[in-house]
Amino acid sequence: MHLYLVENPRALYLVTSSQEEGKGRPRRALVFRAAEENPYQAVVEFLHKDQVNLANSVRLTSRVVKGCLGLICVGDDLFLSVITSATEVGNTRPSANSPESVAKIHEVNFYCLTSSVWDDLTLVGDALPSPSYVEQADVMSMRDSFQQPNSAQPPAVAVFEHPCAALKKILSSGSFYYALGPHWDISSRLAERLSRDSGTADLGAFDDRFVWNEYIVRSLLDFRERLDMQDREDLDRCQFIVLTIQGYVGVFTIPLPAPPTNGAPTMATLTLLSRLGAKRAGTRFNTRGVDDDGNTANLLSYTQVRGSVPLFWEQQGLQTFGQRIQITRPQASQPAFERHFAHLTEQYGYVHAINLLGSKDAEASLTAAYARHLLIAKGVWGDDIGITHYDFHQAVRVSGHDNVMHDLRRLNGMSDNMDRFGFTMCDATSDEIITEQKGVFRYPIADEPRTIPVLVRREWVNSNSLWSYHRELWAENGDALSRIYAGTGALNTSFTRSGKRTFAGVLSDATKSVSRAYINNFQDKGKQVAIDMFLGNLSNQTQVTIFDPIHDSVRAALDARQVCCSLSEYSTTKTATIFVGTWNLNGRPPSESLMPWLFPRENLMVIGFQEIVPLTAQQILQTDPEKKPNKILETLERRPNKKCEYILLRSEQLVGTALIVLVKSELTAVIRNVEATKCKTGLRGMSGNKGAVSIRLDYYDTSFCFITAHLAAGHENVDERNADYQTIVNGLHFLRGKTIDSHDNIIWLADLNYRIDLDNASVRVYAEDDALDMLLAADQLNYVMNAGATFSGYIEGPILFRPTYRYDLGTDNYDTSEKMRVPAWTDRVLYRGSKLDLSVYSRAELKGSDHRPVYAAFRATVHVIDHAKKATLGRLLAESVNSTAPGETLDEKLAALTFPRSEDLPPPSSETEAWWDTPDHPNGVVAASPDLNLSVPQRGNPFDSPIDSPLSASPSSSDEELFNHALALQPPMIPSKKPPPPPPLRQKAGDS
């Protein structure tokens, strides 16, 4: 197929070539234009080739286009992604009824629908620039060119990097593959494909865990679904739309040492297909562990499964050869861990994990946590899951690579499970599954697993050449996957290829290790951003849609209902209680009970510290002191009348500034996407003696961001504090492009260091007299907030307590030292969020520091979205639009549509009102009518036995007897909470 450009209006035409039409493809064209009003929308038409006029068109590339990957918005421009170079790898299953061929992608290009600035026509010899190219290029030059003042040299010619250059680099790396026509599902396992209905494979049926362009191709797949059956078949036969996987595909066709048949040698095809998961994809040190949905970093699927250890863990900072591992949610990983194994058991049946991590240094804690979580998970799955620990590094140091295979075969669970799990085999002529693999081995991400895959059944391997091809395939697979993940080829490939560890291989591994250290620390962050952009993971991305009046109306109606109806049609709300506290410890660990400060009754407890260690030169240079929040946990554990358990959800520290989030243990399953980040502001961002630490999370479907900070000190340094605030707001970034302002609710709990602009004596007198209004009128923070210099849009509760800084240690006396610092409210809690309700704002009288701790309590409304109900509402809206009668306006139809209720239920209870407490029935009491005749025949209970049943002879009490007995009972004690209503009079006591 060929790609053409037409201007006025600007459009791209993807047209079948004469060679393709000669092979039986329909004569068709796929036309793309940018929508006029929506920058994130395209207009797509599927036309017959005869309906397209290419007389004034320009062919954008002389190369034959292999297919379209999708549409993506980058910046203000809309781009079409097409494959311009690919080669066939081979037919992965020659015995199949139809070919299952695979092609490797070598080059992908992005062509703009909205601007001619990015048109590259240099490769087309007879092509001229589009009419608007020159003037738009001049505008870009005037905007971006720069010349140094007083420079005698002429300005350099501006060189523009294509907005999609990083995406192009990744997609053109030789690690992406797609299925050649006729289409077959390259993303799914053989057994899964064969278990589907026979016939032509459906382009819309695929495993979205492994399709990498699902985000950018989704709009085209939706467009395809809206076509009629004939047009849809033609679109599939033209192969305009391509689904791609990342990983490795290798195919070897080899002769077997067997007597020839029909004069031809017996041939065999050996295929290895590795699929890299797209749900939690990324580079080596930027994406680790598991997410809340159970997706692990760099999941690989073939006859075995490889993936990161399914816990929440990270490797932050500069990583050299001694890598530092931090388990970020040590007590809150179990729900995600079990979701991961639920996915595996659903896909493969039995799962046996092989843990190759070491038992020393940084990997020891990860190994212990892995074993602990799997032991708990066995309570759910029993013998369906298991684990074998094997310290690969120690085994190689002691016995070398040669003995690894013998050791593994002797391990408990290995040889038995190999026979137990079996393999998948199908009839070559009928595609009928004869036997299916019933389990899978799971390995961690490392270079070691590439020496493990030789553990396959060898009964059929009688040929040395076949065995050597098998080793070569695994070595090539290891190199390809390692280049994707770590930036270099795999380690230990000399052993994988030859079965021996050579001196040349050792030197090669040393070179790769040095290269990895540089690539992983200095290049991978930019690559990670490009991967997240391609997968649609950035928080500020908007997915491209294709113009369709009906579906656009449905989307607009859903958005309007979300705003106007507060999500009530497809969501519920819950009330969350949050405690936040901040305390500057002045470099001294707490020596007194923290109970006067902490209120362990809330769902979440967020605690910030400043100067948790002395701010000496040694501590400032030490980037990760790792002071654990043991004092907090001990206090909560020893509290009286303990009714719930708190666990450490996440903690983060920047020298002396630390933030701790604790949560009730029963809420860990509903708190997701927990991330932490930090920002230095000391010495212009070079030192961590001042700065901020932030933790964000999703509580159900509502996002929260908590920030603790320590701003510049000094009574007169207001501008420095304002600058620190701006540095923090602009410099704190979470994964996928999220910032502080990306959240529904934001709470600062910090030592902001703003002072009171009055003389020392006046401040002390006003403080002693509790004349707080006089002090607040001179408060620096109030001044800069009113001026809009900092904390614009934030709220602080009423300050009804004395200044918290600075006290003599252990006393209630303000500073009597030589410096005689002016008292001030340096420690503050500020918040922003329409659903945050402040209930308490005060300070605690702890005297172990020169600051007093401050605390606040919030009630927050969180949304719980029923995504299935939301999808159903969208379907109902679409059906309603399609059934609009003539003369009926669309707006009236949408406004009148309501979500059907299965029952007429009262509104749900809240924290202050119960659904059964109404003016007609206070406290849920329903008075019996004096005219009520209980002897009147009434409809019987549907669970009653028939009169002639022998069960009816069992002794029982009548409704009247039970009712009279209940009236004779002593009145019950009134509980602290409102009781539910009594059962209706017509029910039997046993059915209430």
Side-chain angles (χ1 to χ4, degrees):
M1 61 191 78
H2 302 299
L3 183 65
Y4 295 90
L5 167 67
V6 175
E7 290 280 10
N8 300 321
R10 184 178 176 87
L12 297 179
Y13 291 74
L14 197 57
V15 183
T16 54
S17 66
S18 56
Q19 292 85 352
E20 292 166 335
E21 293 161 5
K23 296 178 181 178
R25 294 189 185 181
R27 300 181 71 254
R28 288 289 198 142
L30 199 60
V31 184
F32 302 87
R33 295 194 310 274
E36 295 181 0
E37 298 181 356
N38 189 340
Y40 305 109
Q41 195 169 65
V43 178
V44 178
E45 296 177 276
F46 185 53
L47 305 175
H48 290 278
K49 196 172 180 179
D50 298 335
Q51 297 176 279
V52 176
N53 182 11
L54 299 176
N56 298 320
S57 66
V58 176
R59 186 173 168 184
L60 285 176
T61 174
S62 58
R63 297 184 177 182
V64 175
V65 175
K66 307 296 183 180
C68 170
L69 292 177
L71 294 159
I72 187 170
C73 227
V74 181
D76 297 328
D77 291 321
L78 184 61
F79 292 90
L80 173 70
S81 175
V82 296
I83 303 170
T84 53
S85 178
T87 57
E88 182 175 353
V89 176
N91 188 354
T92 60
R93 203 161 66 93
S95 61
N97 295 327
S98 60
E100 294 187 355
S101 299
V102 176
K104 175 193 282 191
I105 298 174
H106 296 292
E107 186 179 46
V108 171
N109 280 303
F110 291 80
Y111 296 96
C112 188
L113 294 177
T114 52
S115 172
S116 60
V117 170
W118 310 113
D119 293 346
D120 183 10
L121 305 177
T122 57
L123 298 179
V124 185
D126 56 349
L128 295 175
S130 56
S132 62
Y133 175 81
V134 176
E135 57 179 314
Q136 292 197 34
D138 289 341
V139 172
M140 293 288 289
S141 297
M142 293 173 60
R143 185 179 67 187
D144 293 339
S145 61
F146 177 78
Q147 183 178 6
Q148 294 288 345
N150 302 324
S151 174
Q153 296 182 355
V157 177
V159 178
F160 309 116
E161 184 180 54
H162 196 285
C164 303
L167 298 178
K168 178 180 177 180
K169 184 177 181 180
I170 291 174
L171 292 169
S172 304
S173 61
S175 60
F176 287 87
Y177 300 82
Y178 66 95
L180 287 174
H183 173 76
W184 61 283
D185 182 13
I186 192 175
S187 67
S188 301
R189 296 180 296 121
L190 175 64
E192 185 177 347
R193 297 201 307 270
L194 296 182
S195 63
R196 296 172 183 164
D197 295 336
S198 59
T200 305
D202 183 9
L203 183 66
F206 56 86
D207 191 337
D208 62 354
R209 295 178 303 161
F210 302 108
V211 173
W212 274 64
N213 63 321
E214 198 270 344
Y215 173 76
I216 68 172
V217 82
R218 170 49 56 194
S219 59
L220 291 177
L221 293 177
D222 293 341
F223 169 79
R224 171 186 175 273
E225 289 299 318
R226 297 195 288 267
L227 296 175
D228 59 45
M229 185 62 68
Q230 184 59 50
D231 283 343
R232 191 184 309 170
E233 291 179 1
D234 286 352
L235 182 66
D236 292 348
R237 288 171 58 199
C238 290
Q239 298 180 34
F240 284 137
I241 302 176
V242 170
L243 303 180
T244 181
I245 65 167
Q246 188 178 28
Y248 173 76
V249 180
V251 179
F252 281 151
T253 302
I254 53 178
L256 291 178
T261 57
N262 299 327
T266 302
M267 304 297 293
T269 299
L270 189 61
T271 300
L272 176 59
L273 195 154
S274 298
R275 306 175 187 90
L276 183 63
K279 292 297 184 182
R280 185 167 170 78
T283 53
R284 187 181 181 196
F285 291 142
N286 292 290
T287 307
R288 289 295 209 188
V290 71
D291 66 14
D292 288 283
D293 294 319
N295 303 306
T296 58
N298 293 282
L299 177 70
L300 273 164
S301 171
Y302 27 72
T303 53
Q304 63 181 17
V305 174
R306 198 193 81 175
S308 185
V309 175
L311 303 170
F312 291 104
W313 61 285
E314 296 176 355
Q315 287 181 278
Q316 295 184 349
L318 185 66
Q319 303 287 333
T320 53
F321 303 104
Q323 298 160 13
R324 298 184 299 276
I325 292 175
Q326 179 188 8
I327 302 178
T328 57
R329 292 159 68 176
Q331 301 174 355
S333 293
Q334 195 67 37
F337 184 92
E338 293 181 0
R339 288 187 190 107
H340 173 69
F341 275 90
H343 295 164
L344 294 183
T345 54
E346 181 181 356
Q347 286 283 327
Y348 303 101
Y350 302 111
V351 180
H352 192 84
I354 309 297
N355 176 33
L356 301 174
L357 299 176
S359 56
K360 295 181 180 180
D361 302 327
E363 293 183 351
S365 60
L366 205 55
T367 296
Y370 197 177
R372 184 173 65 254
H373 281 75
L374 195 133
L375 181 63
I376 297 173
K378 284 181 70 70
V380 179
W381 288 282
D383 294 335
D384 289 355
I385 63 174
I387 190 169
T388 296
H389 298 282
Y390 182 75
D391 191 337
F392 181 86
H393 296 290
Q394 179 65 18
V396 170
R397 280 194 294 267
V398 173
S399 305
H401 286 78
D402 298 341
N403 292 323
V404 170
M405 310 318 306
H406 304 289
D407 291 345
L408 284 171
R409 291 192 184 98
R410 291 195 296 267
L411 290 176
N412 292 332
M414 287 296 296
S415 57
D416 293 342
N417 280 325
M418 288 175 63
D419 294 330
R420 178 191 183 192
F421 294 168
F423 52 90
T424 296
M425 182 170 64
C426 68
D427 188 295
T429 56
S430 64
D431 278 349
E432 180 183 356
I433 298 177
I434 299 173
T435 179
E436 188 172 353
Q437 183 177 337
K438 298 179 178 63
V440 70
F441 289 101
R442 188 201 186 281
Y443 297 91
I445 292 179
D447 290 296
E448 298 83 6
R450 297 172 189 110
T451 66
I452 306 302
V454 293
L455 286 172
V456 296
R457 300 183 66 89
R458 299 182 58 180
E459 289 81 356
W460 58 277
V461 182
N462 298 315
S463 168
N464 291 332
S465 61
L466 187 60
W467 187 245
S468 65
Y469 277 118
H470 180 270
R471 287 198 302 268
E472 184 68 21
L473 266 182
W474 275 107
E476 292 292 332
N477 175 71
D479 278 338
L481 299 179
S482 181
R483 279 191 289 270
I484 296 171
Y485 182 57
T488 71
L491 306 181
N492 305 322
T493 50
S494 61
F495 177 81
T496 308
R497 295 178 192 274
S498 63
K500 297 179 180 180
R501 184 73 167 164
T502 64
F503 179 71
V506 173
L507 291 180
S508 175
D509 289 349
T511 303
K512 292 173 183 175
S513 296
V514 174
S515 299
R516 285 184 178 189
Y518 175 80
I519 293 171
N520 299 157
N521 284 290
F522 301 107
Q523 295 183 350
D524 279 353
K525 288 187 177 179
K527 182 179 178 182
Q528 181 69 52
V529 173
I531 291 173
D532 287 335
M533 181 189 298
F534 182 62
L535 297 176
N537 291 335
L538 299 180
S539 62
N540 56 355
Q541 274 185 281
T542 301
Q543 191 170 23
V544 176
T545 59
I546 292 177
F547 174 74
D548 180 83
I550 293 178
H551 288 80
D552 289 349
S553 300
V554 170
R555 279 192 294 267
L558 277 176
D559 293 340
R561 285 167 181 262
Q562 176 172 334
V563 174
C564 300
C565 305
S566 300
L567 308 172
S568 59
E569 290 183 301
Y570 50 83
S571 76
T572 57
T573 60
K574 292 181 178 291
T575 299
T577 54
I578 304 170
F579 170 89
V580 299
T582 178
W583 192 12
N584 186 316
L585 292 174
N586 194 26
R588 295 174 175 83
S591 59
E592 54 196 316
S593 173
L594 302 180
M595 285 309 299
W597 178 37
L598 304 179
F599 288 80
R601 298 189 299 267
E602 319 300 341
N603 299 135
L604 282 173
M605 297 189 67
V606 185
I607 304 166
F609 291 106
Q610 303 81 40
E611 297 187 37
I612 197 171
V613 295
L615 297 183
T616 62
Q618 179 183 1
Q619 292 289 358
I620 292 173
L621 293 174
Q622 198 173 356
T623 58
D624 189 16
E626 293 189 351
K627 289 285 183 180
K628 301 298 182 182
N630 294 330
K631 184 72 175 180
I632 303 292
L633 297 174
E634 291 171 2
T635 300
L636 295 178
E637 187 65 27
R638 293 198 304 264
R639 71 188 187 273
N641 302 321
K642 184 173 64 174
K643 297 181 180 179
C644 63
E645 293 288 339
Y646 282 93
I647 64 171
L648 176 63
L649 181 68
R650 186 72 160 88
S651 65
E652 189 65 29
Q653 185 172 343
L654 173 66
V655 187
T657 305
L659 186 61
I660 302 165
V661 177
L662 301 109
V663 61
K664 288 184 177 179
S665 57
E666 62 267 23
L667 296 176
T668 55
V670 300
I671 295 179
R672 308 161 68 86
N673 303 320
V674 182
E675 301 174 33
T677 187
K678 49 195 174 185
C679 176
K680 300 176 182 179
T681 61
L683 298 179
R684 297 188 177 182
M686 299 177 61
S687 172
N689 65 316
K690 293 293 189 291
V693 176
S694 181
I695 294 176
R696 61 92 52 211
L697 56 89
D698 291 333
Y699 193 134
Y700 285 105
D701 295 291
T702 301
S703 59
F704 291 84
C705 181
F706 304 100
I707 308 106
T708 189
H710 195 190
L711 304 189
H715 193 284
E716 305 298 332
N717 295 332
V718 178
D719 292 339
E720 286 78 358
R721 286 187 277 276
N722 295 346
D724 285 351
Y725 167 80
Q726 296 297 337
T727 300
I728 293 168
V729 170
N730 296 323
L732 274 180
H733 294 282
F734 299 94
L735 297 178
R736 303 180 175 181
K738 292 187 290 290
T739 63
I740 293 176
D741 292 334
S742 304
H743 297 82
D744 301 320
N745 303 288
I746 308 165
I747 301 177
W748 288 71
L749 48 147
D751 180 357
L752 300 179
N753 253 325
Y754 286 97
R755 309 303 172 90
I756 298 175
D757 281 334
L758 289 175
D759 62 273
N760 200 336
S762 298
V763 172
R764 291 171 184 257
V765 171
Y766 288 142
E768 293 296 331
D769 294 339
D770 289 326
L772 304 183
D773 290 342
M774 301 297 294
L775 299 178
L776 289 170
D779 181 66
Q780 292 177 352
L781 179 58
N782 285 337
Y783 176 79
V784 297
M785 289 179 67
N786 292 333
T790 61
F791 294 102
S792 177
Y794 284 89
I795 302 171
E796 183 178 20
I799 295 181
L800 304 176
F801 50 88
R802 293 180 179 181
T804 57
Y805 171 86
R806 180 186 188 194
Y807 284 90
D808 291 336
L809 292 179
T811 73
D812 290 325
N813 301 322
Y814 284 113
D815 187 16
T816 59
S817 68
E818 182 179 348
K819 294 184 178 180
M820 289 283 288
R821 291 176 175 86
V822 180
W825 286 291
T826 57
D827 312 282
R828 314 289 275 264
V829 175
L830 305 170
Y831 64 97
R832 190 174 77 191
S834 59
K835 301 300 182 180
L836 278 177
D837 181 21
L838 178 68
S839 55
V840 178
Y841 187 31
S842 187
R843 77 177 203 177
E845 299 306 319
L846 299 182
K847 303 175 183 179
S849 170
D850 57 357
H851 291 249
R852 292 291 189 265
V854 172
Y855 62 89
F858 294 91
R859 298 165 69 88
T861 301
V862 296
H863 288 289
V864 185
I865 296 177
D866 188 333
H867 295 279
K869 184 178 286 188
K870 182 178 179 181
T872 303
L873 178 58
R875 177 178 55 79
L876 291 173
L877 287 171
E879 293 174 354
S880 176
V881 172
N882 289 328
S883 61
T884 300
E888 185 179 15
T889 65
L890 182 59
D891 292 338
E892 293 174 352
K893 186 78 174 181
L894 293 172
L897 181 65
T898 58
F899 197 82
R901 290 178 176 268
S902 56
E903 299 178 21
D904 187 13
L905 299 175
S909 301
S910 67
E911 291 292 329
T912 57
E913 296 180 357
W915 66 265
W916 58 81
D917 187 8
T918 64
D920 296 333
H921 306 291
N923 292 326
V925 175
V926 180
S929 172
D931 300 329
L932 181 64
N933 185 0
L934 297 176
S935 63
V936 176
Q938 300 180 20
R939 180 181 177 183
N941 190 302
F943 296 99
D944 284 345
S945 301
I947 297 176
D948 55 351
S949 169
L951 296 177
S952 63
S954 59
S956 63
S957 299
S958 68
D959 289 346
E960 184 176 1
E961 291 173 345
L962 292 173
F963 180 75
N964 292 332
H965 176 68
L967 293 178
L969 294 175
Q970 293 292 330
M973 295 180 63
I974 299 176
S976 57
K977 292 186 177 181
K978 297 177 181 178
L985 297 176
R986 296 181 181 181
Q987 286 186 321
K988 288 187 177 181
D991 298 325
S992 61

